[in-house]
């Protein structure tokens, strides 16, 4: 896995940049919903609250993914990237291509 460290670092950093950009762009959609009944009808408020809840859930998933990216970058720094945290075996290149943040081999992920 040593020879591919630069490749994986760039992939992980690009994923992180993209997620941070999306998170920054969508921050306004997670704000407080206006509850002024003279401006918005009841159903519109419910829709707005549901949309806010969905956006908050999506934001939490992004935060989790960012933590996984940071953990993968740390594994790269200590030369443990690409090795299963559970059994120590090498994680297949194909599995890392699907999810470069994965900490487990296919056998240990079941």
């Amino acid at each position: 896995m040593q020879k591919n460290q630069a490749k994986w670092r760039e992939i992980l950093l690009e994923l992180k940049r993209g997620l941070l950009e999306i998170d920054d762009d969508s921050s306004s959609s997670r704000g407080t919903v206006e509850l002024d009944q003279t401006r918005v009808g009841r159903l519109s408020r419910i829709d707005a609250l549901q949309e806010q809840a969905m956006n908050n859930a999506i934001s939490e998933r992004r935060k989790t993914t960012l933590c996984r990216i940071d953990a993968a970058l740390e594994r790269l720094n200590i030369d443990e990237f690409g090795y299963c945290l559970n059994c120590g075996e090498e994680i297949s290149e194909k599995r890392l291509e699907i999810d470069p943040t994965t900490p487990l081999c296919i056998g240990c992920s079941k």
Side-chain angles (χ1 to χ4, degrees), residues 65-103:
T65 302
L66 285 168
C67 287
R68 288 175 54 104
I69 291 170
D70 287 339
L73 288 167
E74 182 58 32
R75 289 193 302 276
L76 267 171
N77 290 337
I78 60 174
D79 294 328
E80 292 184 5
F81 178 83
Y83 295 96
C84 179
L85 293 180
N86 191 38
C87 70
E89 293 295 318
E90 193 168 337
I91 299 171
S92 75
E93 185 99 6
K94 287 182 181 182
R95 182 164 172 77
L96 289 171
E97 287 172 0
I98 293 169
D99 180 7
T101 67
T102 190

Side-chain angles (χ1 to χ4, degrees), residues 10-11 14 30 35 46 57 73 75 82 86 93 100 106:
E10 185 55 39
I11 288 170
E14 184 60 35
R30 296 185 307 271
L35 295 178
I46 291 171
L73 288 167
R75 289 193 302 276
N86 191 38
E93 185 99 6
I106 193 74

Side-chain angles (χ1 to χ4, degrees), residues 14-26:
E14 184 60 35
L15 283 171
K16 186 174 182 173
R17 279 189 292 269
L19 286 174
L20 288 172
E21 185 176 310
I22 290 169
D23 197 52
D24 191 43
D25 289 346
S26 65

Side-chain angles (χ1 to χ4, degrees), residues 20-71:
L20 288 172
E21 185 176 310
I22 290 169
D23 197 52
D24 191 43
D25 289 346
S26 65
S27 63
S28 65
S29 64
R30 296 185 307 271
T32 304
V33 174
E34 180 69 41
L35 295 178
D36 181 2
Q37 284 192 345
T38 61
R39 295 183 55 206
V40 179
R42 182 171 182 243
L43 291 178
S44 295
R45 280 196 330 276
I46 291 171
D47 289 341
L49 289 169
Q50 286 176 336
E51 184 177 341
Q52 178 191 38
M54 287 188 313
N55 287 329
N56 285 335
I58 290 167
S59 177
E60 285 304 311
R61 281 192 299 256
R62 263 195 304 269
K63 287 178 186 175
T64 299
T65 302
L66 285 168
C67 287
R68 288 175 54 104
I69 291 170
D70 287 339

